[in-house]
Amino acid sequence: MTTSLEQSTPAVLDDPEVAVLAVARRAREASRALATATRATKDAALRALADALVAATDRVLAANAQDLERGRANGMSPGLLDRLALTPERVAAIADALRELAALPDPVGEVVRGSTLPNGLRLRQVRVPMGVVGMIYEARPNVTVDAAGLALKSGNAVVLRGGSAAASSNEVVVEVLADALVAQGLPGDLVQSVDAWGRPGAVALMHARGLVDVLVPRGGADLIATVVREATVPVIETGVGNCHLYVDASADQADALAILLNSKTQRVGVCNALETLLVHRDAADAFLPSALAALGAAGVTVHGDDVTLRHAPRDAATVPATDVDWATEYLSLDLAVRVVDGLDAAIEHVRRWSTGHTEAIVTQDLRAAERFVAEVDAAAVIVNASTRFTDGGQFGLGAEIGISTQKLHARGPMGLAELTTTKWVVHGDGHVRP
Amino acid sequence: MTTSLEQSTPAVLDDPEVAVLAVARRAREASRALATATRATKDAALRALADALVAATDRVLAANAQDLERGRANGMSPGLLDRLALTPERVAAIADALRELAALPDPVGEVVRGSTLPNGLRLRQVRVPMGVVGMIYEARPNVTVDAAGLALKSGNAVVLRGGSAAASSNEVVVEVLADALVAQGLPGDLVQSVDAWGRPGAVALMHARGLVDVLVPRGGADLIATVVREATVPVIETGVGNCHLYVDASADQADALAILLNSKTQRVGVCNALETLLVHRDAADAFLPSALAALGAAGVTVHGDDVTLRHAPRDAATVPATDVDWATEYLSLDLAVRVVDGLDAAIEHVRRWSTGHTEAIVTQDLRAAERFVAEVDAAAVIVNASTRFTDGGQFGLGAEIGISTQKLHARGPMGLAELTTTKWVVHGDGHVRP
C-alpha cells in the first residue's frame, strides 16, 4: 500500500518539528496550485472527493472499527464512542456535505471594495485564499472531511491534526482524499495530516508561523485554551457559549415561554443552546410558575436563586444556584435561573458571565430592546427569538466553519469567506508619489 | 501633583501582573461609556484633547527634555534622538492630527450586511468597537497621542506601553489626555499607560487575554517578533516591507525609471519603500545602464548580482549581492538588484523573499500583469505605479494605524474600521427554530 500520505511523510519521523514544518511547506507549495484555480475546478474536485469517499466506505469503516475497539479498550464513554463511530450512512452523509459545498458560491475573487482615486489610480480589494489553514480537533472523523472540503472550496491547503482516538479513521480518510485530488490533477499535499507525530506534532503545527496562515481549533474548552496559549500562528477561537435569555417585565408571556423552551431544549449539546434565564422581578409571578413547570416537563433541572426556587412547583427538579452555575456552559438539560431587578441588573449579569456568544431578550419595550442591543457585547444579540438561530446555516451563510467568539477577523458564525483574506490590487499608468 | 494617572495606579506597584490586569480591567469598564457614545461626543473629546495638549506644551517639553538628556547620557544615536525630540511645532502638529481624526467619519454603527431571512427574522451585522486596544511601541511620543486618538475615535479604550526612552514624555502626555477626558465628562481610564511596570508590565499586557481585545505592536522587527511570540491577546502584526519592483521586458522604460526612483528614494525609512529591483534579462541592456546611473546620482548604493554589476557605470557605488541582500529591508539608500530570466523567475524570487507587503510590476504586457497580480501573494500588488502608494492616506482610508502584513482581520493599510469588530443583531417576533 503506497499512498500519497506515506509518500509525503518519508524518513523524518524522528523529529516532529522538522517533519511538521516539511508538511506545512509542502502544503504552502500545493496551495499555490489552488489559489488561482477556477470555481469549476474546485467544485469538480469536491465532487470527486465525495465519490472517492463513498467508494472507499469499506476501508474507512475497517479503520474506524480499529479506533472503536481501541476506544472501548480504553474505557471511552458511550457518547464519545457514538461521535467516533462511522456507518455506511454516516460516510454517505459526510460525502453529501462535500457535494453541498460544491453548490455554494466561491468566496475567492469577490471585490470587497474598489474605487478610482483622485490621481487616477484604480484600486480594488479582492478576496483571495489564506494559503494554508491548520485545523486542530478531537475525535470526530467527519470533521476531517468537513475541514478539508471547506479549505479546498475557499482555495486553501489544509493541515489536519485530529485526536489520537480517531487516528486510524483519519489516516485512511486523508489517504482517500489526497489520492482523489491527485486523480483530479491537483496536488495531494492539499490535504495532509500531522497525526503521525502525536502531541509534539500538534505543537509544531501551532508554531509554524509563516507557513500556516491560520489555525482553527474545534473542540472542547481545554483544547481551545491550549491552542490559544501555545500558538504563534494566528488563531480563530471558536466557541464556548454561556448564552443568556432575559425575560423583561414587558415580555409577551407566550413568546417568552416558547423562546425559552426552544433555546434550552431544541438541542442541548450545542454552543448556541441557552444556559441561563434571567427574569425581571415584575414578570416573575406571572412567568416563572408556568415556565418552571414547562421546563420540568421537558426534563430540565433548574439551578435557581432563592426567588426562583420559591416559584418552583413542589415536584420540580431544582437545586440552589451558586456562582458556579452562572459561569457554567452546561450543554445538558440544566438551566440556571435568576430573578433580577430589571434591565440594568440583567445587562450587568450578562456582562459579568457572558462568553460573548449569543445573548437574547424577550420584550415589548422598544427602549429596553435598544439598550440591550447597544450595551450587551456579544457576537449575536437577539430580540424576541431563540438563541438557537446563531448559526451559519440559519443566517444564510452556507457552510459553517464554527462560531467565533473572538473579535478579530471573524465574530459569530463563520462561513467560507472567513477562510479567505484580501489583496489590494492597484493599477496605474506610471504613477509616482509626489 | 495628583493626576488621573497617579490616582489610577495606587498601591500595587510591587506586582506588575496584578497592576496591569487592574489597568486593563479599568480600561474595559471605561470602554463601556465610550462604546455607545455618539460621534459628536467623541469628536468633541478629540478636539478637547488637542487643545489640552497645546496648552500643556511647556510641561510636555520639560518632560521631553528629561528623556533627551537621559538618551544623550546613554549614547542614543542622533537619528533616535531626533525621533524622540519634541518642539512646540511638533506638539502643535500632534494636536492637529487629533483634530483631523475628529473630521473623519465614525466607523462605529456602520451596517456591514443585512437582510430579512425567509422566516422573517431581521438580521444585520453592525460595526462596534473592539473594547480595549493595547499598543506597544518604541521611543516616539507622537505615537502615544496618535494611538489614543485612533482608539477613542473608534470607540475603544487604549492601554499604552511606550519605550522606556520616552517614559517621561509619555507619562505627562497620558496625564494631560486623561485629565482632558475627565474634563469632558468621559472616564480618564480610557487612556492609560503601563510604562510604570517596565518590561514585566509589557509582558502582562501581552497576556491580558479577555481584558484586552487586540494588541498592535508598532516598531522594529524585534519588537514585533517578541509580541507575536509572547502574546496570548490577538495581535495585528504591522509591517516589515521587503518590497520588490519587477521591470518586465515589455515595460515602458521612462515609466520604469520614474517608478524605480520614486519607490526607492522618495522616502527611504518607510515600510513601503523599494528594497529589491528585478529586471527581465531582455530589458537589462536597455534599462540597467540608465537606471544604475540615476540611482547612483540619487546616492543609492546598488547591491547587484553579476549581470547587474556588469551594467554598472565605473564610478557607481556597487557591492556584490548575496542572499542576505535579497532578505534585507534596508530602510536606507541601498537597493538589491537582480537580473532574472523572466516573469516566472521574478515571481519565484518574490515568493521566496517577499514579506508580503507591497510588490510591483512595470509592464505593457497584459498577460504578465494579470499573472503577477494573481500569483504574487502580498497585501498590495501594484501594476505600473510606485510601491510608495501602499498607504492609508493614499488609499483614501483616512488615518492609518499601520500596515498589516498578516492575513487575519486586516491586510494592508489599516484605517479606523480595523479597530472595530462587528455584532450580529437579530430581531424576531417570537421566532423559534423548528
Side-chain angles (χ1 to χ4, degrees):
Chain A
M1 189 173 70
T2 61
T3 67
S4 58
L5 183 73
E6 287 180 332
Q7 281 161 11
S8 64
T9 57
V12 282
L13 277 157
D14 39 359
D15 186 337
E17 194 176 323
V18 172
V20 168
L21 291 184
V23 165
R25 213 165 279 121
R26 284 198 304 274
R28 182 139 221 94
E29 195 57 43
S31 74
R32 288 179 182 149
L34 203 63
T36 54
T38 62
R39 177 179 167 184
T41 301
K42 291 187 284 189
D43 290 350
L46 285 168
R47 286 188 209 99
L49 295 189
D51 295 343
L53 203 62
V54 171
T57 299
D58 290 348
R59 272 179 70 204
V60 171
L61 293 185
N64 187 246
Q66 292 172 22
D67 287 331
L68 289 169
E69 196 175 331
R70 219 172 43 247
R72 273 185 224 101
N74 294 339
M76 188 181 262
S77 74
L80 284 180
L81 283 170
D82 180 61
R83 283 166 71 167
L84 176 57
L86 294 174
T87 62
E89 293 70 33
R90 286 188 178 181
V91 172
I94 292 168
D96 279 342
L98 289 174
R99 294 192 186 98
E100 283 164 25
L101 271 177
L104 287 177
D106 189 344
V108 174
E110 186 197 344
V111 178
V112 177
R113 281 190 276 191
S115 63
T116 299
L117 298 177
N119 61 7
L121 279 179
R122 282 84 68 199
L123 191 67
R124 60 183 205 271
Q125 190 180 22
V126 184
R127 221 173 257 299
V128 296
M130 288 269 184
V132 179
V133 174
M135 190 84 65
I136 300 191
Y137 53 102
E138 289 170 337
R140 294 173 64 170
N142 63 310
V143 176
T144 307
V145 181
D146 209 30
L150 290 163
L152 292 175
K153 178 77 189 196
S154 52
N156 297 290
V158 69
V159 179
L160 300 159
R161 153 68 184 174
S164 57
S168 304
S169 312
N170 287 341
E171 187 182 346
V172 169
V173 166
V174 169
E175 277 175 30
V176 169
L177 298 180
D179 289 346
L181 285 167
V182 171
Q184 288 289 304
L186 288 168
D189 286 338
L190 286 172
V191 179
Q192 297 178 83
S193 159
V194 297
D195 285 358
W197 297 283
R199 185 166 153 74
V203 173
L205 181 60
M206 296 181 213
H207 292 170
R209 193 176 176 100
L211 292 173
V212 176
D213 296 292
V214 62
L215 206 53
V216 184
R218 284 179 71 169
D222 282 354
L223 171 77
I224 291 168
T226 302
V227 173
V228 164
R229 196 176 55 242
E230 276 283 343
T232 54
V233 171
V235 171
I236 299 180
E237 191 176 342
T238 60
V240 175
N242 187 16
C243 306
H244 299 77
L245 175 70
Y246 167 58
V247 175
D248 191 33
S250 68
D252 179 290
Q253 302 273 317
D255 281 358
L257 188 60
I259 289 169
L260 166 64
L261 289 173
N262 188 260
S263 298
K264 179 67 246 180
T265 66
Q266 199 253 354
R267 200 168 157 207
V268 294
V270 290
C271 59
N272 59 14
L274 182 65
E275 306 293 5
T276 297
L277 169 69
L278 303 170
V279 179
H280 191 297
R281 66 190 316 164
D282 295 345
D285 286 344
F287 182 66
L288 271 180
S290 57
L292 296 175
L295 287 166
V300 175
T301 300
V302 165
H303 304 239
D305 70 343
D306 290 348
V307 183
T308 299
L309 294 187
R310 281 205 291 279
H311 287 90
R314 276 193 205 128
D315 57 342
T318 60
V319 280
T322 68
D323 275 2
V324 173
D325 291 293
W326 311 138
T328 299
E329 185 191 24
Y330 296 113
L331 299 172
S332 63
L333 283 171
D334 292 83
L335 181 70
V337 183
R338 184 177 197 176
V339 174
V340 294
D341 283 346
L343 181 63
D344 286 302
I347 291 175
E348 208 41 53
H349 181 103
V350 169
R351 278 181 176 167
R352 173 138 185 224
W353 301 106
S354 170
T355 54
H357 190 296
T358 299
E359 306 301 348
I361 182 173
V362 185
T363 186
Q364 290 302 319
D365 179 341
L366 182 58
R367 197 174 297 176
E370 292 192 340
R371 276 198 56 205
F372 192 85
V373 163
E375 295 179 29
V376 167
D377 187 30
V381 183
I382 296 184
V383 179
N384 293 334
S386 170
T387 59
R388 291 276 296 122
F389 283 110
T390 304
D391 173 276
Q394 295 294 319
F395 278 10
L397 306 179
E400 181 183 284
I401 290 112
I403 296 180
S404 164
T405 51
Q406 71 176 43
K407 295 183 180 175
L408 225 58
H409 186 71
R411 195 179 195 204
M414 293 189 288
L416 287 165
E418 277 69 33
L419 287 183
T420 66
T421 181
T422 56
K423 178 195 275 187
W424 287 99
V425 178
V426 184
H427 278 82
D429 314 287
H431 285 67
V432 296
R433 198 164 152 185
Chain B
M1 188 173 72
T2 62
T3 68
S4 59
L5 184 72
E6 286 180 333
Q7 280 161 10
S8 65
T9 57
V12 282
L13 277 157
D14 41 358
D15 186 336
E17 195 176 323
V18 172
V20 168
L21 290 184
V23 166
R25 212 165 281 121
R26 284 198 304 273
R28 183 138 221 94
E29 196 55 42
S31 75
R32 286 177 185 150
L34 203 63
T36 53
T38 62
R39 176 177 168 186
T41 301
K42 291 187 284 189
D43 290 350
L46 286 167
R47 287 189 208 97
L49 295 190
D51 294 343
L53 205 61
V54 170
T57 299
D58 290 348
R59 272 180 69 205
V60 171
L61 294 185
N64 188 245
Q66 292 172 22
D67 286 332
L68 289 168
E69 195 175 331
R70 220 173 42 248
R72 274 185 221 102
N74 294 338
M76 189 182 263
S77 74
L80 284 181
L81 283 171
D82 180 60
R83 284 167 71 168
L84 176 57
L86 293 174
T87 61
E89 293 70 33
R90 286 188 180 182
V91 173
I94 293 169
D96 279 343
L98 289 174
R99 294 191 187 98
E100 283 164 24
L101 270 177
L104 287 176
D106 189 343
V108 173
E110 185 197 346
V111 178
V112 177
R113 283 189 273 192
S115 64
T116 299
L117 298 178
N119 61 7
L121 279 180
R122 282 85 68 199
L123 192 66
R124 60 183 205 270
Q125 190 179 22
V126 184
R127 221 172 257 299
V128 295
M130 288 269 184
V132 180
V133 174
M135 190 84 65
I136 300 190
Y137 53 101
E138 288 167 339
R140 295 174 63 171
N142 63 310
V143 176
T144 306
V145 182
D146 209 27
L150 290 163
L152 291 176
K153 178 77 188 194
S154 52
N156 297 289
V158 69
V159 179
L160 301 159
R161 152 67 184 174
S164 57
S168 303
S169 313
N170 287 341
E171 188 182 345
V172 169
V173 166
V174 169
E175 278 174 31
V176 169
L177 298 181
D179 289 346
L181 284 166
V182 171
Q184 287 289 304
L186 288 168
D189 286 337
L190 286 171
V191 178
Q192 296 179 82
S193 158
V194 297
D195 285 359
W197 298 282
R199 186 168 153 74
V203 172
L205 180 59
M206 296 182 213
H207 291 170
R209 192 175 177 102
L211 292 174
V212 177
D213 295 293
V214 63
L215 206 53
V216 184
R218 283 178 73 168
D222 282 354
L223 172 77
I224 292 168
T226 302
V227 173
V228 163
R229 197 177 52 242
E230 275 283 343
T232 54
V233 171
V235 172
I236 299 180
E237 192 176 340
T238 58
V240 175
N242 186 15
C243 305
H244 299 77
L245 175 70
Y246 167 59
V247 175
D248 192 32
S250 68
D252 178 290
Q253 302 273 318
D255 281 358
L257 188 59
I259 289 169
L260 166 64
L261 290 172
N262 188 260
S263 298
K264 179 68 247 181
T265 67
Q266 199 253 354
R267 199 168 157 207
V268 294
V270 288
C271 59
N272 59 13
L274 182 66
E275 305 294 3
T276 297
L277 169 69
L278 303 170
V279 180
H280 191 296
R281 66 189 317 166
D282 296 345
D285 286 344
F287 182 66
L288 272 180
S290 58
L292 295 175
L295 287 166
V300 176
T301 299
V302 165
H303 304 240
D305 70 342
D306 291 349
V307 183
T308 299
L309 294 187
R310 282 205 291 279
H311 287 90
R314 277 197 204 127
D315 58 343
T318 61
V319 280
T322 67
D323 275 2
V324 173
D325 291 293
W326 313 138
T328 298
E329 184 191 24
Y330 296 113
L331 300 173
S332 62
L333 283 170
D334 292 83
L335 181 70
V337 183
R338 184 178 198 175
V339 174
V340 293
D341 283 345
L343 180 64
D344 286 304
I347 291 174
E348 207 42 52
H349 181 102
V350 169
R351 277 180 176 168
R352 173 137 184 227
W353 301 107
S354 170
T355 53
H357 190 297
T358 298
E359 307 300 348
I361 182 172
V362 185
T363 186
Q364 291 302 318
D365 179 343
L366 182 58
R367 197 174 298 176
E370 292 193 339
R371 275 198 55 206
F372 192 86
V373 163
E375 296 179 30
V376 167
D377 187 29
V381 183
I382 296 183
V383 179
N384 293 333
S386 169
T387 58
R388 292 276 296 123
F389 282 110
T390 305
D391 174 275
Q394 295 293 320
F395 279 10
L397 305 179
E400 181 184 283
I401 290 113
I403 296 180
S404 163
T405 51
Q406 69 176 44
K407 296 183 180 176
L408 224 58
H409 187 70
R411 196 180 194 204
M414 292 189 288
L416 287 165
E418 278 69 32
L419 288 183
T420 66
T421 181
T422 56
K423 178 195 276 187
W424 287 99
V425 178
V426 185
H427 278 82
D429 314 286
H431 285 67
V432 296
R433 198 163 151 185

